[in-house]
Amino acid sequence: MSRIAVTITTPDGLCSATLHTPLSAGPAVILYTDAAGVRETFAAMADRLSALGYVVLLPDGYYRTPYAPFDVATVFTVPAERERLTALGRSVPAELAVRDTGAYLDFLAGRAEVAGSAVGAVGYCLGGRFSLWAAAHFPRVAAAASFHGGNLAAADDPDSPHLVAGRIRGALHVAAARNDKAFPAEQHERLRNALVAAGVRHTLETYPAEHGFAVPDNATYDQSAEERHWTALKQLFAENLPRA
C-alpha cells in the first residue's frame, strides 16, 4: 500500500491530490473531505480504505483558492476562522464540484492501478454533498456515501442534492448525525421522499453521535460511530464495486 502525490488537470487549473493504492489493482474511490479540507487525518482514512483493496483519490477541492490550513480543534470557536472556513466552503458550488469530479474520473480512468469501470464516492460534512452530486451526475459512480453531510435536502437551495435524486443510478448510504442543524429532521424526510420516489437503492439512518463523528481530529469524534461508519462503507463498496 502506498501514497502517491499526483496532479490532476481540471478545466479550471491544476488540482493537487494523493492517490492511495493497495497491493494490487482495485476499484477506484473518490474521497471528499469535510469543510476544513485535506489534512493528515483524511490521508490516514484514505490509507485505511485503500487497505481494503480500493484505489483512493484524495483531491484538494480548494485548489482554486490558496489557503492557510485550519486548526480543526479551534476553527469553530474562533469567529474569524469560522468565517474563513464558511467562505472557503462556499467557493466550490455544485457546478464547480461536478466539473472537478469529471476531471477526477478522467484521471482515474487512465491509471493502471484501477480495476473495473465502476467508481465509489464517499464524503464527510461538506463532502457529503459532493458525493451525492457525483452519484447524480456520473453513471460510473456505482456507490456513494455521505457521513454527517449537511444541506442534502434544503428547500431553498436550487442545487440541493435531493433535487437530482432521479439521476442517481448507483446505491447510496447516508448516515446523519443527531441534533445536526445542517441536516435537520425536515431535510432527512425530504431526502428520503426524493430517494424513494426516484427508486434509488439507499440506506438513510441517523447515528447516535454528533456532527463530525467519523473524522478522528474533530472535537465531536465518536469512536463507536466511526467504526459503524467503516462497517457500512465496507458493505456498500463490497456489494457495488466489482473488482473486474
Side-chain angles (χ1 to χ4, degrees), residues 131-183:
S131 183
L132 297 193
W133 283 331
H137 289 275
F138 299 96
R140 282 184 60 198
V141 178
S146 166
F147 294 97
H148 44 82
N151 294 314
L152 304 182
D156 58 352
D157 180 4
D159 291 322
S160 179
H162 82 284
L163 296 176
V164 288
R167 300 179 60 170
I168 296 173
R169 296 293 174 264
L172 298 186
H173 179 81
V174 178
R178 68 184 176 194
N179 305 319
D180 192 346
K181 294 180 180 178
F183 190 57

Side-chain angles (χ1 to χ4, degrees), residues 17-214:
T18 50
L19 191 69
H20 302 248
T21 59
L23 296 178
S24 58
V29 173
I30 302 170
L31 194 163
Y32 300 100
T33 72
D34 60 20
V38 173
R39 53 194 188 276
E40 177 56 30
T41 289
F42 276 101
M45 292 168 70
D47 284 342
R48 181 168 175 174
L49 187 52
S50 177
L52 299 176
Y54 301 100
V55 177
V56 184
L57 181 67
L58 177 62
D60 176 10
Y62 294 145
Y63 68 91
R64 297 175 183 84
T65 309
Y67 67 100
F70 293 96
D71 180 348
V72 180
T74 60
V75 68
F76 293 108
T77 58
V78 177
E81 282 296 271
R82 183 162 189 160
E83 289 175 11
R84 186 167 71 93
L85 181 76
T86 300
L88 198 57
R90 289 174 177 168
S91 72
V92 190
E95 179 184 3
L96 298 186
V98 170
R99 196 153 72 210
D100 286 345
T101 295
Y104 303 157
L105 291 171
D106 288 344
F107 170 83
L108 290 168
R111 299 294 302 198
E113 301 94 336
V114 174
S117 59
V119 174
V122 56
Y124 302 81
C125 180
L126 176 67
R129 284 165 61 87
F130 289 19
S131 183
L132 297 193
W133 283 331
H137 289 275
F138 299 96
R140 282 184 60 198
V141 178
S146 166
F147 294 97
H148 44 82
N151 294 314
L152 304 182
D156 58 352
D157 180 4
D159 291 322
S160 179
H162 82 284
L163 296 176
V164 288
R167 300 179 60 170
I168 296 173
R169 296 293 174 264
L172 298 186
H173 179 81
V174 178
R178 68 184 176 194
N179 305 319
D180 192 346
K181 294 180 180 178
F183 190 57
E186 61 267 24
Q187 285 198 38
H188 194 284
E189 187 65 18
R190 192 176 295 120
L191 179 62
R192 181 186 301 280
N193 289 342
L195 295 174
V196 169
V200 176
R201 293 175 291 128
H202 70 279
T203 301
L204 177 56
E205 56 189 357
T206 299
Y207 286 16
E210 305 302 314
H211 182 94
F213 60 74

